[in-house]
Amino acid sequence: MRQLALVIFLIGCTAVENEPFPDPTAALDETAFRCKVEPILVKQCSYLACHGTGESALRVYSSGKLRASPPATNDDANAPLTDAERHANFTSAVGFSVATAPADNWLLRKPLPAKLGGYEHKGGAIYADTQDPQYAAIYAWLGGNKSCN
């Protein structure tokens, strides 16, 4: 009986190894993000009551709003984003890129009107439809577009 208990115990302690999840930052281009996607997020999402707060799952740093370090002066608050802030915007957006298809990504579905398959967004619909240029730019980036043109 002790041997059986020991066997059951050892079987229950077998290590399970999962393959690591691929790094999503490797599949998405940060340069294309900076020129095509970040301006959309800054314009549409960076308000202090929305994603311009450190507590938000999608956090967006922007001049005059959320900064990585509390600004000492008004000039500091309105200075261009640092490379570290821009990279943080990229990694924050990439955190929403694990969908199997770009159209299922939260950066696209959340601000899309519900009648078009969007989710309830506290800030309301941002895109008019899937033909909206902002939607198209984010869709292209999520699909692997590396162009700034």
Side-chain angles (χ1 to χ4, degrees):
M1 185 68 169
R2 283 186 184 180
Q3 289 177 339
L4 179 59
L6 180 61
V7 169
I8 292 172
F9 174 76
L10 292 175
I11 291 172
C13 292
T14 302
V16 175
E17 293 189 27
N18 294 321
E19 290 190 31
F21 190 80
D23 178 3
T25 62
L28 297 170
D29 187 74
E30 188 165 356
T31 301
F33 170 83
R34 287 184 178 200
C35 67
K36 292 289 192 173
V37 177
E38 187 176 39
I40 296 167
L41 299 181
V42 166
K43 178 183 176 191
Q44 298 289 3
C45 310
S46 69
Y47 298 100
L48 296 173
C50 300
H51 298 285
T53 175
E55 291 79 39
S56 179
L58 173 63
R59 177 214 55 259
V60 181
Y61 292 113
S62 63
S63 295
K65 297 174 189 159
L66 179 67
R67 300 309 300 254
S69 299
T73 68
N74 223 13
D75 287 342
D76 292 342
N78 292 303
L81 293 178
T82 65
D83 280 339
E85 289 170 324
R86 296 190 79 191
H87 181 69
N89 283 347
F90 171 71
T91 59
S92 182
V94 166
F96 288 83
S97 70
V98 295
T100 56
D104 291 332
N105 185 282
W106 276 61
L107 292 174
L108 295 173
R109 296 285 297 270
K110 188 78 172 170
L112 190 64
K115 67 182 179 187
L116 298 175
Y119 302 133
E120 185 65 33
H121 183 240
K122 198 175 204 179
I126 303 292
Y127 315 126
D129 54 35
T130 57
Q131 303 306 307
D132 187 299
Q134 297 173 113
Y135 181 98
I138 295 173
Y139 185 95
W141 174 68
L142 290 167
N145 187 320
K146 297 178 185 330
S147 172
C148 281
N149 297 329

